[in-house]
Amino acid sequence: MITRLGRILLADDSRNDVELMLLALGHFNLANEVDVVRDGAEAVDYLYRGGKYAERGGQNPALMLLDLKMPKVNGIEVLRTVKNDPLLQTIPVVVLTSSREESDMVSSYELGANAFVVKPVDFHEFIESVKNLGFFWAIVNEPPPVSRNGGEQLEG
Amino acid sequence: MSTVTKVSSRYERDKELFLRYAAIIESSDDAIVGKTLEGIITDWNPGAQRVFGYSPDEVIGKSVLILFPPERMEEEMDILGRVAKGERVENYETVRVRKDGKRIDMSVTVSPIRDSSGRIVGASKIARDITESKLLHASVLEAERHFRETLDHMLEGCQIIGFDFRYLYINDAAATHGRHSKKALLGRKMMEAYPGIEETEMFAFLRKCMENRIAQRLENRFDYGDGTFSWFNLSMEPVPEGTFILSVDITNEKKLQVELEKHRDHLQEIVNERTAQLQEANRELESFSYSVSHDLRAPLRHINGFVELLQKKLPSSIDKECLRYLHVISSASSEMGHLIDKLLDFSRVNRASINKSDVDVGSLVRQVIASLAEEAPGRSVDWQVEKLPDVYGDQAMLRQVFINLLSNALKYTGTRTTAKIKVRSISGKGEDIFVVEDNGVGFDMRYVSKLFGVFQRLHSNDEFEGTGIGLANVRRIIERHGGRTWAEGKVNEGASFYFSIPRFIEQRG
């Protein structure tokens, strides 16, 4: 299956989770479309082409998988940055977290998260969740045109 | 003839005058007594008889001294001496003695009696009984003395201030309050005794009372000028002389009040401190449960995931025992994930805010039973729900209570051909008691205290699956409603779970 859209940005500090998620996304050959950042600060750099991402080309990511509990800048702060920036706010953001904390869920949705998924402990459930997410957001869902325009503006 | 007529007419005129005077004397209430210059009684009117008790026969010709008390005998010599010189003794107050020995206070007027040639031949004495008026006067004086003494020695300070702000009266307490002697204050102006007093609030009230003639009340701190002070409750009343001030020393009460306030503030501080500590502990607990939920689940997920991956990579020739080990690892980690989730549910029950409303328990129970029955197809269950009262509580939490109790009942009747599960209520004192009964495996009452503890179980997982959180949740939820939980059971003879919810009539719409 060939992706038609931009890349998937995966922000998660846990190498194990990243490995498992990449494995799951591999089911739709999405694994190669994924850019991984290890903390919130790196995620922000990626989005704004700062730091080591200064030379990054291309559009806004088609999907952002965002872990909440990360070093430096946490997921909630990244989410706030994305959803408050007119050029970034249309990027679909799926909050992926180990936490079942209701307060996290509430603040994620309030900030404009497109989905909130608790990573299941069970391997099969976990793989299923990530597969479904990748399938839906990166393949089925048509992103809003503004997202691509935003990307083009940034390029230009 | 004319001379005779003249003589006879003058005689008639004198006789008439005499009779008139005699009638006046006879009818007088005063004692009128005639006596010689030697003090021998010559005349005694009915008034004298009434006042002294002697009849005329008893006294005429006797010495007037029979009317005198022994200590006043000399008086008569003096009076008679003065009368003999032609003097008149008027309204002389003295004491005389009645026939019955009783002394009477008298006002006496003694005048000389002259014969036709003008020679003084005797004395007339008009005596009035003034015992009563004397007594009245004395009692007035006594009353005044009594009141003054009372005022003087009252515990409250009393003073009368004249319109020119001079001390007109001051009692002992007021002098003590003012730390000046009465002598030093009486007649002096307040501003002389206490320089600067005219600038005080108290003086402003006093001026208002003086000028507007309206009573004033105030609590006043009186500074003595040496750094010390006292507190007084002052009442100012307008009086004809100026203003009457009643002062009550409330320094001790004030001190006590200050002391109490200090204690109260201290208590408040302690409460604040404790509250802060509790809030801190709560925050710690929250962050603890957050990291439990986040940080402990992640490694489990990794164990689970990588064991699965390992299983896939292993050659098909791997022996069964190795596969079983891997299976144990993965199901143990799944189980632990489940336990963590339940533990977090429990901590959420503790932290979630409670939203109370009227809850129709009957329909709540029927809903729960319907969904449980759906999840247990093939089970033969005889559900009985008696009429249940509405309660004032958190609908979602109470639903959780019934889910836990009824699913427990369903679980522990699993070995029965027909499970009997009954929900009923008892009307308690100020509370409604709900009972969930079953005919299941029951429990040993020796372990009843462990039933509601977190992670406490009376059955192994092989017998009945469970985490040991359900009843702990029930207890927490009911405690948060101000109610109680308890249970009764017998091994193999079923169990009854009870909980109570207080009735808050006044809180219902």
Side-chain angles (χ1 to χ4, degrees), chain A residues 101, chain B residues 276-294 343-344 346-352 476 480:
Chain A
E101 275 301 304
Chain B
Q277 283 170 355
L278 272 176
Q279 281 169 343
E280 179 58 27
N282 245 346
R283 268 195 296 280
E284 272 170 22
L285 191 69
E286 259 173 59
S287 82
F288 171 75
S289 65
Y290 185 93
S291 46
V292 165
S293 112
H294 195 279
L343 189 58
L344 287 170
F346 179 65
S347 98
R348 217 165 285 135
V349 162
N350 285 295
R351 288 180 288 134
R476 257 331 266 148
R480 294 197 63 190

PDB file of all heavy atoms in Angstrom, chain A residues 101, chain B residues 276-294 343-344 346-352 476 480:
ATOM      1  N   GLU A 101      -5.349   8.650  33.071  1.00  0.00           N
ATOM      2  CA  GLU A 101      -5.784   9.797  33.861  1.00  0.00           C
ATOM      3  C   GLU A 101      -6.854  10.598  33.134  1.00  0.00           C
ATOM      4  O   GLU A 101      -6.657  11.050  32.012  1.00  0.00           O
ATOM      5  CB  GLU A 101      -4.595  10.718  34.161  1.00  0.00           C
ATOM      6  CG  GLU A 101      -3.802  10.328  35.371  1.00  0.00           C
ATOM      7  CD  GLU A 101      -4.642  10.308  36.634  1.00  0.00           C
ATOM      8  OE1 GLU A 101      -5.263  11.340  36.964  1.00  0.00           O
ATOM      9  OE2 GLU A 101      -4.674   9.253  37.281  1.00  0.00           O
TER      10      GLU A 101
ATOM     11  N   ALA B 276      -2.875  22.279  54.553  1.00  0.00           N
ATOM     12  CA  ALA B 276      -1.827  22.352  53.532  1.00  0.00           C
ATOM     13  C   ALA B 276      -1.116  21.007  53.435  1.00  0.00           C
ATOM     14  O   ALA B 276      -0.836  20.512  52.339  1.00  0.00           O
ATOM     15  CB  ALA B 276      -0.838  23.460  53.877  1.00  0.00           C
ATOM     16  N   GLN B 277      -0.853  20.412  54.624  1.00  0.00           N
ATOM     17  CA  GLN B 277      -0.178  19.111  54.630  1.00  0.00           C
ATOM     18  C   GLN B 277      -1.027  18.061  53.927  1.00  0.00           C
ATOM     19  O   GLN B 277      -0.530  17.260  53.145  1.00  0.00           O
ATOM     20  CB  GLN B 277       0.104  18.660  56.068  1.00  0.00           C
ATOM     21  CG  GLN B 277       1.288  19.374  56.693  1.00  0.00           C
ATOM     22  CD  GLN B 277       1.401  19.093  58.175  1.00  0.00           C
ATOM     23  OE1 GLN B 277       0.549  18.432  58.765  1.00  0.00           O
ATOM     24  NE2 GLN B 277       2.455  19.615  58.785  1.00  0.00           N
ATOM     25  N   LEU B 278      -2.347  18.115  54.237  1.00  0.00           N
ATOM     26  CA  LEU B 278      -3.254  17.155  53.615  1.00  0.00           C
ATOM     27  C   LEU B 278      -3.301  17.349  52.114  1.00  0.00           C
ATOM     28  O   LEU B 278      -3.277  16.382  51.341  1.00  0.00           O
ATOM     29  CB  LEU B 278      -4.661  17.316  54.192  1.00  0.00           C
ATOM     30  CG  LEU B 278      -4.952  16.518  55.448  1.00  0.00           C
ATOM     31  CD1 LEU B 278      -6.338  16.847  55.961  1.00  0.00           C
ATOM     32  CD2 LEU B 278      -4.856  15.030  55.142  1.00  0.00           C
ATOM     33  N   GLN B 279      -3.371  18.628  51.719  1.00  0.00           N
ATOM     34  CA  GLN B 279      -3.425  18.906  50.288  1.00  0.00           C
ATOM     35  C   GLN B 279      -2.149  18.417  49.615  1.00  0.00           C
ATOM     36  O   GLN B 279      -2.180  17.859  48.521  1.00  0.00           O
ATOM     37  CB  GLN B 279      -3.610  20.408  50.051  1.00  0.00           C
ATOM     38  CG  GLN B 279      -5.064  20.829  50.254  1.00  0.00           C
ATOM     39  CD  GLN B 279      -5.239  22.321  50.287  1.00  0.00           C
ATOM     40  OE1 GLN B 279      -4.268  23.059  50.480  1.00  0.00           O
ATOM     41  NE2 GLN B 279      -6.462  22.777  50.099  1.00  0.00           N
ATOM     42  N   GLU B 280      -1.029  18.639  50.328  1.00  0.00           N
ATOM     43  CA  GLU B 280       0.250  18.186  49.796  1.00  0.00           C
ATOM     44  C   GLU B 280       0.244  16.659  49.661  1.00  0.00           C
ATOM     45  O   GLU B 280       0.632  16.107  48.634  1.00  0.00           O
ATOM     46  CB  GLU B 280       1.383  18.656  50.737  1.00  0.00           C
ATOM     47  CG  GLU B 280       2.776  18.230  50.334  1.00  0.00           C
ATOM     48  CD  GLU B 280       3.160  18.705  48.941  1.00  0.00           C
ATOM     49  OE1 GLU B 280       2.625  19.739  48.502  1.00  0.00           O
ATOM     50  OE2 GLU B 280       3.975  18.023  48.296  1.00  0.00           O
ATOM     51  N   ALA B 281      -0.259  16.006  50.726  1.00  0.00           N
ATOM     52  CA  ALA B 281      -0.322  14.541  50.700  1.00  0.00           C
ATOM     53  C   ALA B 281      -1.216  14.070  49.557  1.00  0.00           C
ATOM     54  O   ALA B 281      -0.914  13.095  48.866  1.00  0.00           O
ATOM     55  CB  ALA B 281      -0.853  14.015  52.034  1.00  0.00           C
ATOM     56  N   ASN B 282      -2.317  14.802  49.361  1.00  0.00           N
ATOM     57  CA  ASN B 282      -3.233  14.459  48.280  1.00  0.00           C
ATOM     58  C   ASN B 282      -2.570  14.599  46.919  1.00  0.00           C
ATOM     59  O   ASN B 282      -2.734  13.755  46.049  1.00  0.00           O
ATOM     60  CB  ASN B 282      -4.445  15.388  48.333  1.00  0.00           C
ATOM     61  CG  ASN B 282      -5.711  14.619  48.644  1.00  0.00           C
ATOM     62  OD1 ASN B 282      -5.710  13.395  48.561  1.00  0.00           O
ATOM     63  ND2 ASN B 282      -6.770  15.326  48.972  1.00  0.00           N
ATOM     64  N   ARG B 283      -1.818  15.713  46.775  1.00  0.00           N
ATOM     65  CA  ARG B 283      -1.107  15.925  45.515  1.00  0.00           C
ATOM     66  C   ARG B 283      -0.106  14.806  45.281  1.00  0.00           C
ATOM     67  O   ARG B 283       0.017  14.290  44.171  1.00  0.00           O
ATOM     68  CB  ARG B 283      -0.385  17.281  45.529  1.00  0.00           C
ATOM     69  CG  ARG B 283      -1.218  18.410  44.946  1.00  0.00           C
ATOM     70  CD  ARG B 283      -0.347  19.608  44.662  1.00  0.00           C
ATOM     71  NE  ARG B 283       0.234  20.171  45.878  1.00  0.00           N
ATOM     72  CZ  ARG B 283      -0.439  20.984  46.694  1.00  0.00           C
ATOM     73  NH1 ARG B 283      -1.662  21.356  46.391  1.00  0.00           N
ATOM     74  NH2 ARG B 283       0.124  21.450  47.784  1.00  0.00           N
ATOM     75  N   GLU B 284       0.596  14.446  46.361  1.00  0.00           N
ATOM     76  CA  GLU B 284       1.581  13.366  46.242  1.00  0.00           C
ATOM     77  C   GLU B 284       0.901  12.067  45.831  1.00  0.00           C
ATOM     78  O   GLU B 284       1.403  11.332  44.981  1.00  0.00           O
ATOM     79  CB  GLU B 284       2.321  13.172  47.565  1.00  0.00           C
ATOM     80  CG  GLU B 284       3.539  14.064  47.674  1.00  0.00           C
ATOM     81  CD  GLU B 284       4.130  14.049  49.068  1.00  0.00           C
ATOM     82  OE1 GLU B 284       3.883  13.078  49.816  1.00  0.00           O
ATOM     83  OE2 GLU B 284       4.828  15.018  49.394  1.00  0.00           O
ATOM     84  N   LEU B 285      -0.260  11.842  46.469  1.00  0.00           N
ATOM     85  CA  LEU B 285      -1.005  10.625  46.152  1.00  0.00           C
ATOM     86  C   LEU B 285      -1.419  10.629  44.680  1.00  0.00           C
ATOM     87  O   LEU B 285      -1.328   9.622  43.986  1.00  0.00           O
ATOM     88  CB  LEU B 285      -2.242  10.547  47.043  1.00  0.00           C
ATOM     89  CG  LEU B 285      -2.984   9.217  47.021  1.00  0.00           C
ATOM     90  CD1 LEU B 285      -2.144   8.151  47.672  1.00  0.00           C
ATOM     91  CD2 LEU B 285      -4.319   9.355  47.726  1.00  0.00           C
ATOM     92  N   GLU B 286      -1.841  11.816  44.229  1.00  0.00           N
ATOM     93  CA  GLU B 286      -2.265  11.916  42.847  1.00  0.00           C
ATOM     94  C   GLU B 286      -1.103  11.664  41.895  1.00  0.00           C
ATOM     95  O   GLU B 286      -1.235  10.936  40.916  1.00  0.00           O
ATOM     96  CB  GLU B 286      -2.880  13.293  42.584  1.00  0.00           C
ATOM     97  CG  GLU B 286      -4.387  13.239  42.579  1.00  0.00           C
ATOM     98  CD  GLU B 286      -5.010  14.617  42.479  1.00  0.00           C
ATOM     99  OE1 GLU B 286      -4.730  15.312  41.491  1.00  0.00           O
ATOM    100  OE2 GLU B 286      -5.763  14.978  43.389  1.00  0.00           O
ATOM    101  N   SER B 287       0.020  12.283  42.229  1.00  0.00           N
ATOM    102  CA  SER B 287       1.149  12.100  41.316  1.00  0.00           C
ATOM    103  C   SER B 287       1.654  10.658  41.416  1.00  0.00           C
ATOM    104  O   SER B 287       2.133  10.084  40.438  1.00  0.00           O
ATOM    105  CB  SER B 287       2.263  13.115  41.595  1.00  0.00           C
ATOM    106  OG  SER B 287       3.064  12.686  42.649  1.00  0.00           O
ATOM    107  N   PHE B 288       1.467  10.067  42.608  1.00  0.00           N
ATOM    108  CA  PHE B 288       1.835   8.661  42.760  1.00  0.00           C
ATOM    109  C   PHE B 288       0.961   7.778  41.861  1.00  0.00           C
ATOM    110  O   PHE B 288       1.459   6.951  41.107  1.00  0.00           O
ATOM    111  CB  PHE B 288       1.693   8.233  44.222  1.00  0.00           C
ATOM    112  CG  PHE B 288       1.848   6.756  44.440  1.00  0.00           C
ATOM    113  CD1 PHE B 288       3.103   6.168  44.386  1.00  0.00           C
ATOM    114  CD2 PHE B 288       0.740   5.951  44.684  1.00  0.00           C
ATOM    115  CE1 PHE B 288       3.243   4.804  44.583  1.00  0.00           C
ATOM    116  CE2 PHE B 288       0.880   4.595  44.870  1.00  0.00           C
ATOM    117  CZ  PHE B 288       2.134   4.024  44.820  1.00  0.00           C
ATOM    118  N   SER B 289      -0.347   8.027  41.935  1.00  0.00           N
ATOM    119  CA  SER B 289      -1.217   7.168  41.136  1.00  0.00           C
ATOM    120  C   SER B 289      -1.022   7.453  39.648  1.00  0.00           C
ATOM    121  O   SER B 289      -1.171   6.568  38.820  1.00  0.00           O
ATOM    122  CB  SER B 289      -2.677   7.341  41.555  1.00  0.00           C
ATOM    123  OG  SER B 289      -3.113   8.631  41.270  1.00  0.00           O
ATOM    124  N   TYR B 290      -0.629   8.693  39.350  1.00  0.00           N
ATOM    125  CA  TYR B 290      -0.345   9.022  37.960  1.00  0.00           C
ATOM    126  C   TYR B 290       0.854   8.205  37.472  1.00  0.00           C
ATOM    127  O   TYR B 290       0.809   7.589  36.414  1.00  0.00           O
ATOM    128  CB  TYR B 290      -0.048  10.518  37.820  1.00  0.00           C
ATOM    129  CG  TYR B 290       0.140  10.976  36.401  1.00  0.00           C
ATOM    130  CD1 TYR B 290      -0.943  11.469  35.671  1.00  0.00           C
ATOM    131  CD2 TYR B 290       1.391  10.950  35.793  1.00  0.00           C
ATOM    132  CE1 TYR B 290      -0.786  11.896  34.370  1.00  0.00           C
ATOM    133  CE2 TYR B 290       1.561  11.375  34.488  1.00  0.00           C
ATOM    134  CZ  TYR B 290       0.464  11.848  33.771  1.00  0.00           C
ATOM    135  OH  TYR B 290       0.627  12.271  32.491  1.00  0.00           O
ATOM    136  N   SER B 291       1.896   8.176  38.291  1.00  0.00           N
ATOM    137  CA  SER B 291       3.062   7.441  37.807  1.00  0.00           C
ATOM    138  C   SER B 291       2.828   5.938  37.840  1.00  0.00           C
ATOM    139  O   SER B 291       3.340   5.219  36.997  1.00  0.00           O
ATOM    140  CB  SER B 291       4.345   7.827  38.547  1.00  0.00           C
ATOM    141  OG  SER B 291       4.123   7.868  39.892  1.00  0.00           O
ATOM    142  N   VAL B 292       1.992   5.480  38.810  1.00  0.00           N
ATOM    143  CA  VAL B 292       1.638   4.057  38.782  1.00  0.00           C
ATOM    144  C   VAL B 292       0.960   3.757  37.456  1.00  0.00           C
ATOM    145  O   VAL B 292       1.302   2.816  36.749  1.00  0.00           O
ATOM    146  CB  VAL B 292       0.702   3.697  39.957  1.00  0.00           C
ATOM    147  CG1 VAL B 292       0.048   2.340  39.714  1.00  0.00           C
ATOM    148  CG2 VAL B 292       1.473   3.671  41.253  1.00  0.00           C
ATOM    149  N   SER B 293       0.009   4.634  37.136  1.00  0.00           N
ATOM    150  CA  SER B 293      -0.777   4.368  35.949  1.00  0.00           C
ATOM    151  C   SER B 293       0.088   4.454  34.693  1.00  0.00           C
ATOM    152  O   SER B 293      -0.085   3.699  33.759  1.00  0.00           O
ATOM    153  CB  SER B 293      -1.951   5.346  35.902  1.00  0.00           C
ATOM    154  OG  SER B 293      -1.836   6.251  34.865  1.00  0.00           O
ATOM    155  N   HIS B 294       1.030   5.379  34.698  1.00  0.00           N
ATOM    156  CA  HIS B 294       1.814   5.602  33.489  1.00  0.00           C
ATOM    157  C   HIS B 294       3.065   4.734  33.469  1.00  0.00           C
ATOM    158  O   HIS B 294       3.293   3.945  32.555  1.00  0.00           O
ATOM    159  CB  HIS B 294       2.186   7.076  33.392  1.00  0.00           C
ATOM    160  CG  HIS B 294       2.663   7.460  32.039  1.00  0.00           C
ATOM    161  ND1 HIS B 294       3.955   7.239  31.618  1.00  0.00           N
ATOM    162  CD2 HIS B 294       2.029   8.040  30.999  1.00  0.00           C
ATOM    163  CE1 HIS B 294       4.083   7.664  30.378  1.00  0.00           C
ATOM    164  NE2 HIS B 294       2.940   8.164  29.978  1.00  0.00           N
ATOM    165  N   LEU B 343      -6.627  -0.885  40.643  1.00  0.00           N
ATOM    166  CA  LEU B 343      -6.128  -0.053  41.736  1.00  0.00           C
ATOM    167  C   LEU B 343      -6.371   1.421  41.417  1.00  0.00           C
ATOM    168  O   LEU B 343      -6.771   2.204  42.277  1.00  0.00           O
ATOM    169  CB  LEU B 343      -4.635  -0.321  41.939  1.00  0.00           C
ATOM    170  CG  LEU B 343      -4.004   0.309  43.170  1.00  0.00           C
ATOM    171  CD1 LEU B 343      -4.712  -0.159  44.426  1.00  0.00           C
ATOM    172  CD2 LEU B 343      -2.522  -0.037  43.249  1.00  0.00           C
ATOM    173  N   LEU B 344      -6.180   1.765  40.179  1.00  0.00           N
ATOM    174  CA  LEU B 344      -6.415   3.151  39.773  1.00  0.00           C
ATOM    175  C   LEU B 344      -7.897   3.494  39.834  1.00  0.00           C
ATOM    176  O   LEU B 344      -8.260   4.607  40.207  1.00  0.00           O
ATOM    177  CB  LEU B 344      -5.875   3.379  38.358  1.00  0.00           C
ATOM    178  CG  LEU B 344      -4.352   3.437  38.319  1.00  0.00           C
ATOM    179  CD1 LEU B 344      -3.860   3.420  36.889  1.00  0.00           C
ATOM    180  CD2 LEU B 344      -3.855   4.676  39.037  1.00  0.00           C
ATOM    181  N   PHE B 346      -9.877   2.316  41.980  1.00  0.00           N
ATOM    182  CA  PHE B 346     -10.129   2.540  43.407  1.00  0.00           C
ATOM    183  C   PHE B 346      -9.662   3.927  43.817  1.00  0.00           C
ATOM    184  O   PHE B 346     -10.353   4.646  44.540  1.00  0.00           O
ATOM    185  CB  PHE B 346      -9.423   1.470  44.246  1.00  0.00           C
ATOM    186  CG  PHE B 346      -9.611   1.647  45.722  1.00  0.00           C
ATOM    187  CD1 PHE B 346     -10.865   1.526  46.293  1.00  0.00           C
ATOM    188  CD2 PHE B 346      -8.528   1.949  46.543  1.00  0.00           C
ATOM    189  CE1 PHE B 346     -11.042   1.689  47.650  1.00  0.00           C
ATOM    190  CE2 PHE B 346      -8.712   2.119  47.902  1.00  0.00           C
ATOM    191  CZ  PHE B 346      -9.962   1.985  48.453  1.00  0.00           C
ATOM    192  N   SER B 347      -8.487   4.329  43.354  1.00  0.00           N
ATOM    193  CA  SER B 347      -7.992   5.643  43.753  1.00  0.00           C
ATOM    194  C   SER B 347      -8.868   6.728  43.140  1.00  0.00           C
ATOM    195  O   SER B 347      -9.054   7.791  43.716  1.00  0.00           O
ATOM    196  CB  SER B 347      -6.516   5.817  43.368  1.00  0.00           C
ATOM    197  OG  SER B 347      -6.393   6.520  42.161  1.00  0.00           O
ATOM    198  N   ARG B 348      -9.439   6.431  41.981  1.00  0.00           N
ATOM    199  CA  ARG B 348     -10.347   7.405  41.360  1.00  0.00           C
ATOM    200  C   ARG B 348     -11.616   7.551  42.185  1.00  0.00           C
ATOM    201  O   ARG B 348     -12.145   8.649  42.342  1.00  0.00           O
ATOM    202  CB  ARG B 348     -10.659   6.962  39.929  1.00  0.00           C
ATOM    203  CG  ARG B 348     -10.764   8.105  38.965  1.00  0.00           C
ATOM    204  CD  ARG B 348     -10.707   7.649  37.519  1.00  0.00           C
ATOM    205  NE  ARG B 348      -9.362   7.287  37.120  1.00  0.00           N
ATOM    206  CZ  ARG B 348      -9.074   6.191  36.437  1.00  0.00           C
ATOM    207  NH1 ARG B 348     -10.013   5.342  36.102  1.00  0.00           N
ATOM    208  NH2 ARG B 348      -7.831   5.936  36.098  1.00  0.00           N
ATOM    209  N   VAL B 349     -12.122   6.437  42.736  1.00  0.00           N
ATOM    210  CA  VAL B 349     -13.315   6.490  43.597  1.00  0.00           C
ATOM    211  C   VAL B 349     -13.053   7.422  44.782  1.00  0.00           C
ATOM    212  O   VAL B 349     -13.902   8.161  45.217  1.00  0.00           O
ATOM    213  CB  VAL B 349     -13.681   5.076  44.107  1.00  0.00           C
ATOM    214  CG1 VAL B 349     -14.607   5.160  45.307  1.00  0.00           C
ATOM    215  CG2 VAL B 349     -14.326   4.279  42.996  1.00  0.00           C
ATOM    216  N   ASN B 350     -11.801   7.395  45.258  1.00  0.00           N
ATOM    217  CA  ASN B 350     -11.462   8.246  46.392  1.00  0.00           C
ATOM    218  C   ASN B 350     -11.357   9.712  46.009  1.00  0.00           C
ATOM    219  O   ASN B 350     -11.623  10.585  46.803  1.00  0.00           O
ATOM    220  CB  ASN B 350     -10.122   7.819  46.987  1.00  0.00           C
ATOM    221  CG  ASN B 350     -10.257   6.560  47.791  1.00  0.00           C
ATOM    222  OD1 ASN B 350     -10.928   6.566  48.807  1.00  0.00           O
ATOM    223  ND2 ASN B 350      -9.654   5.491  47.323  1.00  0.00           N
ATOM    224  N   ARG B 351     -10.920   9.951  44.785  1.00  0.00           N
ATOM    225  CA  ARG B 351     -10.630  11.337  44.411  1.00  0.00           C
ATOM    226  C   ARG B 351     -11.774  12.022  43.682  1.00  0.00           C
ATOM    227  O   ARG B 351     -11.869  13.238  43.706  1.00  0.00           O
ATOM    228  CB  ARG B 351      -9.363  11.378  43.542  1.00  0.00           C
ATOM    229  CG  ARG B 351      -8.095  11.093  44.339  1.00  0.00           C
ATOM    230  CD  ARG B 351      -6.879  11.138  43.470  1.00  0.00           C
ATOM    231  NE  ARG B 351      -6.815   9.980  42.584  1.00  0.00           N
ATOM    232  CZ  ARG B 351      -6.537  10.056  41.290  1.00  0.00           C
ATOM    233  NH1 ARG B 351      -6.331  11.215  40.730  1.00  0.00           N
ATOM    234  NH2 ARG B 351      -6.480   8.973  40.561  1.00  0.00           N
ATOM    235  N   ALA B 352     -12.608  11.219  42.987  1.00  0.00           N
ATOM    236  CA  ALA B 352     -13.652  11.827  42.159  1.00  0.00           C
ATOM    237  C   ALA B 352     -14.583  12.676  43.010  1.00  0.00           C
ATOM    238  O   ALA B 352     -14.876  12.333  44.158  1.00  0.00           O
ATOM    239  CB  ALA B 352     -14.446  10.743  41.449  1.00  0.00           C
ATOM    240  N   ARG B 476     -15.722   2.383  50.038  1.00  0.00           N
ATOM    241  CA  ARG B 476     -15.289   3.773  49.866  1.00  0.00           C
ATOM    242  C   ARG B 476     -16.441   4.649  49.405  1.00  0.00           C
ATOM    243  O   ARG B 476     -16.655   5.754  49.893  1.00  0.00           O
ATOM    244  CB  ARG B 476     -14.140   3.854  48.848  1.00  0.00           C
ATOM    245  CG  ARG B 476     -12.750   4.040  49.377  1.00  0.00           C
ATOM    246  CD  ARG B 476     -12.658   4.784  50.664  1.00  0.00           C
ATOM    247  NE  ARG B 476     -12.438   6.211  50.472  1.00  0.00           N
ATOM    248  CZ  ARG B 476     -12.894   7.161  51.279  1.00  0.00           C
ATOM    249  NH1 ARG B 476     -13.618   6.849  52.319  1.00  0.00           N
ATOM    250  NH2 ARG B 476     -12.633   8.425  51.042  1.00  0.00           N
ATOM    251  N   ARG B 480     -18.157   7.630  51.489  1.00  0.00           N
ATOM    252  CA  ARG B 480     -18.230   8.994  50.966  1.00  0.00           C
ATOM    253  C   ARG B 480     -19.657   9.527  50.973  1.00  0.00           C
ATOM    254  O   ARG B 480     -19.871  10.731  50.890  1.00  0.00           O
ATOM    255  CB  ARG B 480     -17.619   9.066  49.565  1.00  0.00           C
ATOM    256  CG  ARG B 480     -16.118   8.790  49.589  1.00  0.00           C
ATOM    257  CD  ARG B 480     -15.438   9.237  48.340  1.00  0.00           C
ATOM    258  NE  ARG B 480     -15.540  10.679  48.165  1.00  0.00           N
ATOM    259  CZ  ARG B 480     -15.181  11.301  47.044  1.00  0.00           C
ATOM    260  NH1 ARG B 480     -14.714  10.611  46.031  1.00  0.00           N
ATOM    261  NH2 ARG B 480     -15.296  12.607  46.958  1.00  0.00           N
TER     262      ARG B 480
END
